[in-house]
Amino acid sequence: MGRAFVYVILGGGVAAGYAALEFARRGGYSRGELCIISEEAVAPYERPALSKGYLLPEGAARLPGFHTCVGAGDELLTTKWYKEQGIELVLGTRVISADVRRKTLLTGTGETISYKTLIIATGARALKLQEFGIQGSDASNICYLRNIDDADKLVNVMKSCPGGNAVVIGGGYIGMECAAALVTNKIRVTMVFPEKHCMGRLFTVKNAEYYENYYTSKGVTFVKGTVLTSFEKDTSGKVTAVILKDSRHLPADMVVVGIGIRANTSLFEGQLVMSMENGGIKVNGQLQTSDSSVYAVGDVAAFPIKLFDGDIRRLEHVDSARRTARHAVASILEPSKTRDIDYLPFFYSRVFTLSWQFYGDNVGEVVHFGDFTGSNPRFGAYWVNKGRIAGAYLEGGSRDEYEAISVAVRRKAKVTNMAELERQGLSFAIQESQKEVPDSGLAVVGKPTYAWYATAGVVAAVSIAAISYWYGRKRRRW
């Protein structure tokens, strides 16, 4: 029993939807030649919506409203769209083994699916407390957030404890995002993480202090420099308190865990070359793996960043998933016309009334600038490495100002005087963006794609968007 396709996209997340749209627009297949295999029961959707509009107490986002590719202001790809385009959706299906040499995939139902070209878009999974030896982590009021089932559980648990206490484990992207959602749902929040400050893989101490103070003003309590060790439970098995390593007991009606993710590479370990340092499948500038018939995109792909002199990175971010997916399809269908990917790492966030963007890499000496104290904050930072701008961050900027800092990073703008850079602040990037520069010969790269998923008319209290450096490659012991 089996089926054969020319092209198979394995995984049903963001990257799968954008790859499908690119195939459809390029017309590189005939009806019935392309399929998407997904463990989820629904067509690909914009995953960031789950921790934003999906968690709003009123006017919450629901499917089909956030199927891909609306997050980039593009078409809404419903199951009807896939049918019209002749793309087969194999949903609710788990692949249990892959044979790269034979070009086959075996599903949990015993079906063999063969391909000529495979795009691996398996994404990543949330790390679980059990993996760190925490007992009792299967309680019904402990929540994670990675897919729609997780989001539905989180919504139901929030509704079950209005005005209650939530403990959020983790101080990175998911932790910060879910804390904002819980506050919006009128639940008291305590955040627990081992680092000295939130968003430790990206934020400087000064930047983090601003956001922690802001969250505190919204009622969030921070407990830093420690970890949970166990739980107290009632007779029904629900968590009633979180016990910390420093012996503190935190009352809890619910627990939300965001301690990182791990790329889903297990099907291909031993068959494809892996990037051991980055924890992903190693690909070249065409997103092609060590097997010429297999490509990898999104969270699972470790690819060369031209801006970083070809350094291999695995980027856990929706913009990277969209762009690598599109580039892989272009590489497959028109290899002679497709240059190596030239991606500018990009992360962004919007929460409460705040909004920031970051470009590049946070390496080198940091120079802060702007106003950290006003009611309408407008501040940022540059990272200067070997006399050039390596990364830039801005809170409260306009679209043109965000574009300016991205240009300064992409051009690796030269810095001759650090004190003068601090004095100029944002104007340095604006002036750099206005300079005429000769064509470098590199591939032209479009602006990063993003959208806010909060419902119109509702304050975007939970609309902090993806930044996934947050727990990094090496995680602390829990």
Side-chain angles (χ1 to χ4, degrees), residues 351-407:
V351 58
F352 300 114
T353 60
L354 306 176
S355 175
W356 59 258
Q357 293 186 16
F358 172 86
Y359 295 86
D361 201 6
N362 58 337
V363 295
E365 187 175 349
V366 182
V367 174
H368 295 97
F369 62 85
D371 179 12
F372 284 77
T373 61
S375 57
N376 295 306
R378 190 162 170 267
F379 59 84
Y382 295 112
W383 282 259
V384 181
N385 191 35
K386 298 178 181 178
R388 294 189 176 274
I389 298 293
Y393 161 96
L394 179 63
E395 163 66 48
S398 66
R399 187 173 294 273
D400 288 343
E401 289 167 342
Y402 288 131
E403 176 67 13
I405 66 169
S406 75
V407 170

Side-chain angles (χ1 to χ4, degrees), residues 96-283:
I96 59 174
S97 68
D99 189 324
V100 172
R101 186 176 61 83
R102 295 181 178 178
K103 299 185 178 182
T104 59
L105 305 170
L106 178 65
T107 72
T109 60
E111 181 182 16
T112 297
I113 296 176
S114 65
Y115 61 85
K116 291 185 178 180
T117 300
L118 174 68
I119 298 178
I120 302 170
T122 47
R125 63 174 181 82
L127 288 171
K128 300 298 180 69
L129 291 173
Q130 293 94 318
E131 298 175 61
F132 299 92
I134 306 299
Q135 301 299 314
S137 303
D138 56 350
S140 62
N141 58 338
I142 296 178
C143 302
Y144 296 84
L145 187 58
R146 189 65 189 170
N147 56 38
I148 280 187
D149 289 343
D150 292 338
D152 284 338
K153 177 180 177 180
L154 180 53
V155 168
N156 290 333
V157 174
M158 284 194 299
K159 289 180 178 178
S160 73
C161 56
N165 296 298
V167 176
V168 175
I169 306 300
Y173 160 52
I174 289 296
M176 295 292 284
E177 188 163 286
C178 287
L182 291 161
V183 168
T184 305
N185 282 273
K186 302 187 185 309
I187 294 173
R188 293 183 293 275
V189 178
T190 299
M191 295 189 69
V192 178
F193 48 88
E195 294 85 0
K196 293 180 180 179
H197 59 78
C198 69
M199 300 292 286
R201 299 296 297 181
L202 175 67
F203 282 1
T204 66
V205 173
K206 189 171 184 177
N207 288 344
E209 182 181 18
Y210 179 87
Y211 293 102
E212 288 180 9
N213 288 339
Y214 191 92
Y215 269 64
T216 299
S217 75
K218 298 294 183 181
V220 176
T221 299
F222 288 90
V223 179
K224 298 178 282 187
T226 190
V227 296
L228 83 93
T229 57
S230 59
F231 301 105
E232 286 183 357
K233 296 183 178 181
D234 62 17
T235 55
S236 69
K238 286 187 176 181
V239 171
T240 57
V242 170
I243 303 173
L244 304 182
K245 188 175 182 180
D246 59 15
S247 299
R248 273 182 285 184
H249 287 51
L250 304 177
D253 298 296
M254 64 180 295
V255 178
V256 180
V257 182
I259 54 175
I261 62 176
R262 182 165 293 156
N264 291 318
T265 62
S266 60
L267 288 173
F268 302 96
E269 290 171 5
Q271 300 187 78
L272 300 174
V273 173
M274 299 288 158
S275 174
M276 301 307 293
E277 182 182 4
N278 295 282
I281 298 172
K282 189 175 182 179
V283 297

Side-chain angles (χ1 to χ4, degrees), residues 9 13-25 36 44-48 66-75 77 81-82 119 297 318-327 329 449-451 453:
I9 301 169
V14 172
Y18 283 81
L21 182 60
E22 192 71 13
F23 267 113
R25 287 185 171 164
I36 295 174
Y45 55 87
E46 301 284 358
R47 201 174 297 279
F66 58 93
H67 281 298
T68 57
C69 298
V70 296
D74 217 315
E75 289 188 60
L77 311 187
W81 181 90
Y82 289 97
I119 298 178
V297 299
V318 65
D319 185 69
S320 175
R322 292 166 180 160
R323 292 189 176 279
T324 54
R326 288 167 166 168
H327 200 93
V329 175
T449 55
Y450 60 93
Y453 293 92

